[in-house]
Amino acid sequence: MLLVSACAAQPGGAPAPPPLPGMTPVPVAELVDAGSSGLTLNADQVEAALLAPTDVPAGWTQPVNTNDSNEAGERLDSATFEPASCRDLATADSPTASDVTDSTRFITTDQHLVIELVTSWHDDAATRTIDTVHAYVAGCPTFTVTDSVVTMTEHLSETPGPELGEQSVALHSYATVGGQTAAESHQVVVIVGRVSVTIIATGRTLIDEAVLDQLVATAVAKVRAAG
């Protein structure tokens, strides 16, 4: 599942970004890309790999009521995309029953919604998700989504991805309604073996990049530790 901001929903190692207040530091050694080829996780390991309250800044909360996210998902399912092909690109390579996937979400003190998805794929689909993001941005740099509430224009562009995992990609999205920006999002995908780690951060403005960098680094380190 790829980014639709208003409806939210590389080789080598890198030093860990500095920890932020309330966040657990990530040792640099855990970020070195070594021995992760072919990594797979079972359901318990995927759950253990998800970001926990101790991994995020102090004051962030985890929403208990999922009715809003369910409603947003239903709206997106029934929405009309123009061009229509952008719906297929946005939902390409979604997990199947043969894959193990889990997610978590947080609300930041600035009212950003942060979603993490960790999927252990049964085949090479993990690396295909990188190609899917490239195809999504190339094929749909601008498109409209009309649901039961509003018509939004989405704008997509790739941004430099983190030097983590075997492959990575990042994109920026913003949605406009009536010519005004309604929401902005960052999405980062990192591949570790057969596991994909996706972080999506959506809000009225973009989340602080230092926070995003630390979230991604922590998420990747937890996936490696879980395996």
Side-chain angles (χ1 to χ4, degrees):
M1 181 68 176
L2 291 170
L3 180 78
V4 178
S5 62
C7 296
Q10 305 225 0
L20 296 157
M23 302 181 79
T24 303
V26 179
V28 173
E30 292 189 23
L31 300 182
V32 177
D33 183 29
S36 59
S37 180
L39 176 71
T40 60
L41 301 178
N42 59 35
D44 290 339
Q45 291 171 319
V46 167
E47 182 178 6
L50 293 174
L51 293 171
T54 54
D55 300 318
V56 303
W60 287 23
T61 59
Q62 290 188 281
V64 176
N65 191 337
T66 60
N67 289 338
D68 289 344
S69 59
N70 291 337
E71 180 182 346
E74 291 172 0
R75 284 172 51 195
L76 186 58
D77 288 342
S78 61
T80 300
F81 284 63
E82 180 59 41
S85 58
C86 291
R87 172 188 287 280
D88 294 333
L89 286 171
T91 58
D93 286 325
S94 295
T96 68
S98 299
D99 306 309
V100 181
T101 189
D102 205 346
S103 65
T104 190
R105 59 186 58 208
F106 296 88
I107 302 295
T108 77
T109 52
D110 294 326
Q111 298 303 300
H112 291 93
L113 172 63
V114 175
I115 302 172
E116 180 196 21
L117 302 98
V118 176
T119 302
S120 183
W121 302 84
H122 73 284
D123 57 11
D124 63 352
T127 55
R128 290 204 309 271
T129 60
I130 300 294
D131 294 333
T132 298
V133 174
H134 293 319
Y136 184 39
V137 176
C140 300
T142 303
F143 62 98
T144 61
V145 181
T146 301
D147 63 18
S148 59
V149 177
V150 69
T151 295
M152 302 162 291
T153 301
E154 288 278 347
H155 308 263
L156 304 179
S157 60
E158 284 196 42
T159 59
E163 294 184 354
L164 297 173
E166 296 164 24
Q167 296 184 66
S168 69
V169 67
L171 63 88
H172 166 234
S173 170
Y174 68 96
T176 56
V177 178
Q180 301 296 315
T181 299
E184 291 195 75
S185 300
H186 274 311
Q187 176 169 330
V188 179
V189 183
V190 179
I191 305 304
V192 184
R194 289 190 172 186
V195 179
S196 62
V197 182
T198 303
I199 302 287
I200 303 169
T202 301
R204 293 289 183 179
T205 58
L206 290 175
I207 195 170
D208 185 277
E209 289 191 16
V211 175
L212 181 65
D213 288 346
Q214 181 65 63
L215 290 174
V216 174
T218 303
V220 171
K222 293 193 73 170
V223 163
R224 290 202 175 105

